[in-house]
Amino acid sequence: MRVREAGNLAEAVAMMRGAVDPTDSVAGLIYLRVLFEYQDYATLQRETRRALGALSLQTAGSAGAEYLGTVLHFAERCCLPFQDVDAALDRIGGVARKDPALLDAWRAVRRRQRHRRTLAERYRGAPSIVSLGLNCLPWHLPGRWGLRREEDFASLFVPFSLAGHTVDGIITALEGDFSDYCAPDSVRAITSQRGHEFVVRKDRSAFWNHNRGAYWLKDDMAALRADIARKAANFRAACGRPDVVFLLATCPVEYPREPLDFLPRLQAALARFTGTEANRVLITNQTARREAPSYRRVNETTAFVYCCYPRKEYVWHDDAAADASDGVQFERGYVSLLLRALLAWNVMQRIDGAAENLESPGGLA
């Protein structure tokens, strides 16, 4: 950890790679978190698989709730097969039921895995859902609820996946093919009230709060720029897929009372990469509290969804909040509305004879 704190995040990863025993919960916890911070998703996925496979009743009894919960949450985040996650849940179930600090996570993960299994049994297709921000929710939720393929955990990791943006910031980045997105004269480093150092655009249209600390800021932010270039290449490749769907969350517009004035410009910017202005775009609003969950068709390839956070103080990216009953219900409703769009656009299809309807919020217990 001293190496990491000195700004040598890559060196810290290299030192730990191949040296961490997956049954060592202390080292394993540090390793997974450092890999997530380093954003080496291929290695994170591989090491999470090792850690998940090593979970047993014996290791669970000595590991502690923090490590067990972290492995389960990373397994979801990394889109590991639900069969593997279910097997691990079964192996540590006895420990989880005796530990209140772990039980909520264990139950929530089991519910999400049940949803993933039901999707696999009753629907065909796994579209390439690409995040357009405006926060990290469009990246995290589809994966842990079964709407992202395991192999796409790394390949669909794009510049908008782990960052904060305005709508104008997204469109401007696309219009310039990311050329000025993080250019030296466009950004500056700031320190948050919690003491975290990260980079923001000077016009406040983007900030990279997951790229924090000395490693990302040193050498004129060289590591951050290289990371963004890699993610931009992923974005360009993803836009060439025939099943690509763009997900833009936390939109402040209250459609249809307010027009989606940015939509023509967004479609034109996406056309630079896809070759069409008829891109599949789902726009969601989570903060309009007077709106019940609902689905609005904007046009043939665009839909707008209201799915409000369950309470004003809800923090969607907090694991404890997401694992609480209202957090699970919120996410399930959000994913159900997303599924409705995917079915309408025929990038997913219902298997003949499947009886249960997952299209409405709450459609799966």
Side-chain angles (χ1 to χ4, degrees):
M1 291 303 290
R2 288 194 299 271
V3 174
R4 172 205 166 273
E5 290 165 3
N8 297 321
L9 190 57
E11 184 179 343
V13 170
M15 290 172 61
M16 300 183 76
R17 184 177 287 125
V20 175
D21 183 341
T23 64
D24 183 343
S25 59
V26 176
L29 183 63
I30 294 171
Y31 190 32
L32 292 180
R33 289 179 173 174
V34 168
L35 283 171
F36 178 69
E37 185 179 353
Y38 185 50
Q39 299 191 25
D40 179 351
Y41 271 21
T43 304
L44 176 62
Q45 190 178 58
R46 183 176 66 250
E47 294 302 320
T48 300
R49 183 180 292 107
R50 288 181 68 227
L52 186 74
L55 290 185
S56 66
L57 188 61
Q58 181 178 358
T59 59
S62 60
E66 184 179 17
Y67 177 68
L68 297 173
T70 297
V71 172
L72 292 177
H73 288 134
F74 270 91
E76 293 184 297
R77 179 176 281 151
C78 294
C79 309
L80 297 186
F82 63 80
Q83 300 92 333
D84 296 348
V85 183
D86 280 343
L89 288 166
D90 289 342
R91 291 196 300 272
I92 68 170
V95 172
R97 293 184 182 94
K98 297 176 183 178
D99 189 337
L102 177 61
L103 187 56
D104 280 351
W106 187 89
R107 285 174 170 166
V109 173
R110 182 170 287 283
R111 291 183 71 180
R112 290 189 286 262
Q113 297 312 301
R114 189 186 309 152
H115 186 278
R116 293 182 67 198
R117 181 182 294 276
T118 301
L119 280 178
E121 292 173 348
R122 300 178 182 180
Y123 294 86
R124 285 190 298 269
S128 302
I129 299 175
V130 173
S131 173
L132 291 180
L134 301 174
N135 61 8
C136 309
L137 183 147
W139 171 246
H140 286 304
L141 258 61
R144 69 184 180 207
W145 284 87
L147 290 173
R148 181 174 295 118
R149 293 173 287 251
E150 181 181 1
E151 59 269 26
D152 284 340
F153 175 64
S155 62
L156 294 184
F157 191 31
V158 302
F160 311 124
S161 297
L162 288 187
H165 292 84
T166 64
V167 172
D168 186 68
I170 296 288
I171 297 174
T172 300
L174 296 174
E175 289 174 336
D177 192 14
F178 302 101
S179 60
D180 189 49
Y181 182 54
C182 192
D185 59 351
S186 300
V187 301
R188 68 185 182 92
I190 65 168
T191 302
S192 72
Q193 291 182 342
R194 295 185 178 182
H196 299 307
E197 290 185 292
F198 56 89
V199 179
V200 301
R201 279 186 56 89
K202 291 177 181 178
D203 61 8
R204 297 285 177 164
S205 65
F207 58 92
W208 294 275
N209 56 318
H210 283 272
N211 302 81
R212 300 192 304 229
Y215 172 76
W216 299 105
L217 272 64
K218 67 181 181 180
D219 300 327
D220 199 25
M221 307 168 193
L224 175 60
R225 299 185 207 289
D227 183 66
I228 289 173
R230 172 175 60 90
K231 293 173 183 173
N234 285 347
F235 184 86
R236 296 184 193 100
C239 286
R241 298 186 184 190
D243 63 351
V244 65
V245 172
F246 299 98
L247 180 56
L248 188 156
T250 325
C251 177
V253 176
E254 296 191 12
Y255 177 82
R257 287 188 299 275
E258 300 172 333
L260 296 168
D261 290 336
F262 64 85
L263 187 58
R265 186 178 163 212
L266 174 62
Q267 285 284 14
L270 288 171
R272 176 186 184 116
F273 302 88
T274 63
T276 178
E277 293 192 17
N279 298 288
R280 307 178 193 95
V281 180
L282 178 64
I283 304 165
T284 73
N285 182 319
Q286 286 87 253
T287 57
R289 301 194 62 80
R290 58 183 171 176
E291 293 287 347
S294 60
Y295 178 96
R296 313 291 178 94
R297 179 184 178 276
V298 180
N299 56 42
E300 286 292 331
T301 60
T302 310
F304 187 96
V305 159
Y306 285 105
C307 190
C308 190
Y309 294 133
R311 54 187 186 277
K312 187 175 181 180
E313 69 279 9
Y314 181 75
V315 180
W316 75 267
H317 53 82
D318 179 79
D319 285 336
D323 291 341
S325 58
D326 62 349
V328 173
Q329 183 176 1
F330 159 72
E331 291 190 359
R332 185 182 63 191
Y334 187 97
V335 171
S336 294
L337 290 162
L338 172 55
L339 177 62
R340 178 171 175 178
L342 301 178
L343 293 169
W345 296 328
N346 202 36
V347 289
M348 288 186 71
Q349 303 86 34
R350 191 174 181 81
I351 296 173
D352 291 342
E356 183 148 12
N357 183 1
L358 299 185
E359 294 180 47
S360 60
L364 183 67

